[in-house]
């Protein structure tokens, strides 16, 4: 899968003419039996390939290390900064219910309206036709405006958004570390701010039996970062002091810090799955286990995948290669 980002147009020469008919992605998974179509699809193969390529790309690397930051990466960060600014401009409203602040709908309506324009700032002129297709994944990645909830399906839409940008050659193979450390990490910060500000509900959460109320991918990539670390072992992430001293270097520990800020009571009680993971002897075992768990708990669950959308870049058609 390491060749995933070596796609047509992923070289540094003049961008090739794109022989692509872009389309607005749509729902294809309507009943449980459609899940078989998803698992055989080109979309599933490409999505998983993308996740695993990035998993290798960040292996053993700190968030604070040196890496190339391309113009496309800078533009994506600027896009996320815009979403962040809109949160400041859309304060929560007074309402009787504690969760699901309705101001989120106002914030979301702005994104809904501006998404294509935002995406157009990231992609070059000759690919302008791709904007409506790619923008759908951006809109799907921030939570549901009716239910005011957020979960791993929304997170998957953001990974799909980045995957599409790779497929059209906007992001390239040497952007791997920046995709996770700069773009995805910034996305996480904005999502945490949304979750906090508008008191969003966890979407399809397994409550205490899930890994986390909202995210999954930063645990995968974050555990890869820690593989072969000279001193930090999985048992250390439940130690508050270790987390406080190292969270700026490791995505996994950032996630733990956010959980402990948001939840009260013993860690073993509110985050039982993570507590169990802290007993695994090595980070590579944690990483492999989380990849298996991600497939089983997120990508193979109908309630999550029924919302996924398919277009020309992430097609529902069966794998060809």
């Amino acid at each position: 899968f390491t060749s995933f980002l070596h796609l047509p147009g992923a070289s540094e020469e003049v961008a090739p003419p794109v022989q692509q008919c872009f389309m607005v992605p749509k729902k294809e998974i309507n009943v449980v039996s459609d899940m078989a179509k998803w698992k055989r699809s080109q979309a599933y193969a490409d999505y998983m390939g993308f996740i695993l390529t990035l998993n290798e790309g960040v292996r053993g690397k700190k968030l604070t290390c040196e890496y190339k930051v391309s113009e496309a990466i800078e533009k994506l960060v600027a896009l996320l900064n815009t979403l962040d600014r809109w949160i400041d401009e859309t304060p929560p409203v007074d309402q009787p219910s504690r969760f699901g602040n309705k101001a989120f709908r106002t914030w979301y309506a702005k994104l809904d309206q501006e998404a294509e324009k935002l995406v157009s700032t990231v992609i070059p002129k000759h690919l302008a036709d791709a904007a409506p297709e790619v923008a759908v994944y951006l809109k799907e990645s921030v939570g549901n405006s009716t239910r005011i909830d957020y979960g791993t399906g929304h997170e998957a839409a953001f990974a799909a958004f980045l995957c599409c940008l790779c497929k059209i050659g906007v992001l390239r193979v040497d952007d791997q570390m920046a995709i996770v450390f700069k773009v995805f990490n910034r996305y996480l910060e904005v999502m945490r701010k949304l979750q906090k500000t508008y008191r969003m509900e966890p979407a399809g959460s397994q409550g205490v039996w899930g890994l986390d109320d909202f995210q999954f991918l930063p645990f995968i990539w974050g555990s890869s970062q820690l593989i072969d670390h000279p001193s930090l072992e999985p048992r250390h992430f439940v130690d508050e002091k270790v987390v406080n001293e190292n969270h700026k270097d490791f995505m996994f520990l950032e996630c733990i810090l956010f959980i402990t800020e948001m939840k009260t009571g013993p860690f073993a009680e509110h985050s039982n799955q993570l507590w169990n993971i802290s007993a695994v002897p090595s980070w590579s075992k944690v990483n492999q286990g989380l990849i298996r768990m991600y497939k089983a708990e997120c990508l193979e669950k109908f309630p999550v995948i029924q919302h996924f959308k398919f277009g020309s870049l992430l097609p529902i058609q069966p794998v060809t290669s």
Side-chain angles (χ1 to χ4, degrees):
F1 52 73
T2 34
S3 62
F4 181 79
L5 290 154
H6 291 289
L7 287 159
S11 61
E12 293 295 341
E13 301 108 56
V14 177
V18 178
Q19 286 89 25
Q20 179 102 36
C21 283
F22 295 107
M23 61 179 275
V24 175
K26 56 186 205 299
K27 249 172 82 81
E28 300 276 2
I29 310 295
N30 299 305
V31 288
V32 175
S33 56
D34 288 340
M35 289 296 283
K37 263 198 311 199
W38 153 243
K39 283 192 250 178
R40 281 198 300 270
S41 70
Q42 190 63 52
Y44 182 89
D46 287 349
Y47 179 85
M48 219 41 233
F50 181 66
I51 300 301
L52 294 173
T53 298
L54 295 174
N55 191 56
E56 282 305 302
V58 300
R59 188 183 173 125
K61 307 278 199 307
K62 291 181 175 183
L63 287 169
T64 48
C65 73
E66 293 282 312
Y67 49 84
K68 176 183 170 265
V69 178
S70 64
E71 196 184 344
I73 295 286
E74 295 283 15
K75 287 175 174 172
L76 280 165
V77 172
L79 181 158
L80 291 164
N81 290 343
T82 301
L83 301 189
D84 190 338
R85 193 182 72 243
W86 291 349
I87 303 175
D88 297 334
E89 293 166 5
T90 319
V93 294
D94 275 340
Q95 60 175 45
S97 64
R98 218 173 112 218
F99 287 96
N101 194 283
K102 290 180 180 58
F104 175 72
R105 292 181 182 147
T106 312
W107 180 90
Y108 183 85
K110 195 162 173 93
L111 173 62
D112 195 33
Q113 203 184 325
E114 303 282 330
E116 264 179 60
K117 208 189 313 178
L118 287 172
V119 169
S120 301
T121 63
V122 178
I123 55 185
K125 293 274 183 286
H126 71 275
L127 289 168
D129 293 354
E133 177 164 349
V134 177
V136 166
Y137 295 103
L138 179 63
K139 287 192 284 194
E140 296 278 317
S141 75
V142 297
N144 180 287
S145 67
T146 311
R147 295 188 304 271
I148 316 184
D149 66 5
Y150 175 95
T152 50
H154 302 112
E155 177 189 73
F158 192 74
F161 166 68
L162 297 173
C163 183
C164 289
L165 292 175
C166 288
K167 293 197 88 169
I168 59 176
V170 170
L171 295 171
R172 301 166 189 275
V173 79
D174 55 359
D175 288 319
Q176 281 183 66
M177 284 170 68
I179 289 171
V180 179
F181 291 172
K182 236 184 153 48
V183 179
F184 193 80
N185 207 38
R186 184 72 187 104
Y187 164 75
L188 281 178
E189 289 169 1
V190 179
M191 292 309 105
R192 286 173 185 145
K193 187 166 168 177
L194 279 178
Q195 289 153 18
K196 258 189 197 162
T197 307
Y198 303 122
R199 304 292 303 256
M200 296 177 80
E201 300 268 13
S205 157
Q206 286 133 345
V208 74
W209 303 113
L211 184 70
D212 177 78
D213 279 346
F214 298 111
Q215 314 296 155
F216 203 114
L217 292 173
F219 292 95
I220 295 179
W221 295 331
S223 58
S224 181
Q225 283 185 278
L226 285 153
I227 290 173
D228 297 331
H229 191 283
S231 60
L232 290 179
E233 292 170 30
R235 63 191 171 92
H236 291 121
F237 77 72
V238 291
D239 179 337
E240 205 179 327
K241 185 169 177 288
V242 172
V243 172
N244 288 335
E245 285 170 9
N246 297 281
H247 69 93
K248 287 192 167 62
D249 284 326
F250 300 105
M251 206 170 236
F252 195 101
L253 302 182
E254 277 289 4
C255 291
I256 302 295
L257 187 68
F258 184 66
I259 292 172
T260 52
E261 279 174 10
M262 299 297 279
K263 299 198 165 182
T264 52
F267 191 88
E269 283 174 26
H270 63 60
S271 302
N272 190 263
Q273 282 278 24
L274 282 166
W275 179 260
N276 293 340
I277 287 169
S278 72
V280 175
S282 72
W283 284 110
S284 62
K285 284 268 188 295
V286 169
N287 185 246
Q288 288 159 7
L290 286 173
I291 290 166
R292 279 197 306 274
M293 186 178 170
Y294 184 60
K295 288 179 183 169
E297 298 300 323
C298 301
L299 302 184
E300 291 172 12
K301 287 281 189 277
F302 176 73
V304 177
I305 295 304
Q306 64 172 329
H307 304 292
F308 198 88
K309 299 208 163 108
F310 300 84
S312 72
L313 296 168
L314 289 169
I316 190 68
Q317 282 71 32
V319 173
T320 44
S321 51

